[in-house]
Amino acid sequence: MTGTGEERGGAGRDGPWWWERRRAALLDVGLAAVSAAECGVEGVGFAREAGIPVPLGVLFGIAVGSVLLLRRRWPIAVVLVGIAVSPAAMGFLLGVVGLYTLAACEVPRRITATLTTMSLAGTFVVMYLRTRGDLEGDTTLVLVLSVFVAVALTVPPVLLGLYIGARRRLMESLQERADSLERELSLLADRAEERAEWARTEERTRIAREMHDVVAHRVSLMVVHAAALQAVAAKDPVKAARNAALVGDMGRQALTELREMLGVLRAEAPRPRPAAAAAVAAPVALAGSFDDGPSLEGLEALVGQSRAAGMAVEVLVDGERSGYPAEVEQTAYRVVQEALTNCHKHAPGARVVVRLAHREGEVAMQVQNGPCGADVEQPGLPSGGNGLLGMRERVLALGGVFVSGPTEEGGFKVSAVLPTAR
């Protein structure tokens, strides 16, 4: 039968449960020793009444009292032994402690009630039979005295055991809830840290894309114009001056956009908040700041800059443009911008076609260049391979479709479709 909660717990010698079990074991040994001594003394009277040798009665009493040592492991057996020896007028401590342990243990209540009733009845019968001869003629007093003794030796230990058992189970339940809450809080903290780290990573990626799109396009055009300026400086001073002005315009535009982005990053922070909450909230604030970025309205100006750099660009628009969400406008613009930048880097002198289709619920764009001329000098622009990756990330983040790859004619094509539903 299951013992009390005092004997359950950790196994370490330095843990509190180990010391509690040790104290419980010492208590059991002490109670068993006292019970054995009591039953041994009472065994003298039992031996004389039963007509057996006194040493045998003492040994019997010691054996009965020592049963109390097993009260935590087999409380039902201890109570049954106490009920069995009650006619011999021995084992009062055994009966009281056994009933207390029975009530405090996780024993079915019907078994506890049955054994308590049996002990109550047994004690009443024994007291009635023993006091009837001493108080002859006063049956009422015998009954009252028997009932009082039976109740005094049975009910208090049972009630105390029920209280201690209920209190122990309540404490265990509260401890389990506290442990569970601690685990949940730890899990929530871990998840919050993961979300914060994810948010920081996403925001770093977003800033990297913006920086790449702003710097790569402007600087690529500046390099192209600078190369043209170098080529015509001595032959055509007017054209050289025009290219120099374009280089200056490109540089100023790049600086302006960089200042805007740095202004967003250096914006005054709100009130201090927990690190995890601040990291999660940061992308929302920055996303809102980027809503004022480029849109499809600036597509003609974007293409015009590439034309001014000497690129032959044709723009084909299908359908009527309607109001798109800011993130769709910005992503569409950045895709075309990065595709044109790649054309400047890898296909100088090639013919480029920009197609834009406004459809119901989506907008599609395609930038395709033909093969680069064999006699065209490469501008020598560095490429880190982040342009296509950034375009793909932008498009997929909005639930769109992105495809890129070489064409059969030897050119390259970039296609993207963005949903426009809010």
Side-chain angles (χ1 to χ4, degrees), residues 262-278:
L262 292 176
V264 171
L265 298 176
R266 291 180 177 272
E268 182 179 357
R271 293 181 179 179
R273 66 182 74 183

Side-chain angles (χ1 to χ4, degrees), residues 250-263:
M250 292 296 103
R252 283 188 289 272
Q253 291 177 9
L255 288 175
T256 299
E257 294 187 6
L258 285 175
R259 287 194 187 98
E260 291 177 355
M261 295 186 63
L262 292 176

Side-chain angles (χ1 to χ4, degrees), residues 20-175:
E20 186 173 348
R21 290 202 304 274
R22 185 175 182 181
R23 288 194 298 268
L26 293 176
L27 176 62
D28 290 347
V29 171
L31 289 175
V34 174
S35 177
E38 175 209 345
C39 292
V41 173
E42 294 169 345
V44 176
F46 169 70
R48 292 172 180 173
E49 291 181 0
I52 60 177
V54 173
L56 186 60
V58 173
L59 291 176
F60 175 74
I62 293 175
V64 170
S66 300
V67 173
L68 195 59
L69 189 63
L70 307 175
R71 68 185 184 97
R72 298 179 189 272
R73 187 175 297 275
W74 295 301
I76 295 177
V78 172
V79 174
L80 289 175
V81 170
I83 295 173
V85 299
S86 60
M90 68 168 58
F92 292 104
L93 181 62
L94 174 68
V96 171
V97 177
L99 287 174
Y100 162 80
T101 306
L102 179 70
C105 289
E106 297 178 2
V107 177
R109 289 291 174 254
R110 64 179 183 277
I111 297 179
T112 301
T114 301
L115 294 179
T116 300
T117 303
M118 292 173 59
S119 179
L120 180 66
T123 304
F124 171 79
V125 171
V126 171
M127 287 302 301
Y128 179 80
L129 294 177
R130 288 187 173 273
T131 57
R132 184 179 60 178
D134 298 333
L135 299 174
E136 293 183 0
D138 198 346
T139 306
T140 302
L141 180 59
V142 172
L143 291 174
V144 171
L145 183 60
S146 300
V147 170
F148 175 78
V149 172
V151 171
L153 294 178
T154 305
V155 176
V158 172
L159 293 180
L160 180 61
L162 291 175
Y163 167 75
I164 295 299
R167 181 176 178 274
R168 186 191 66 250
R169 287 188 290 272
L170 176 61
M171 296 301 294
E172 291 175 353
S173 175
L174 292 177
Q175 183 63 39

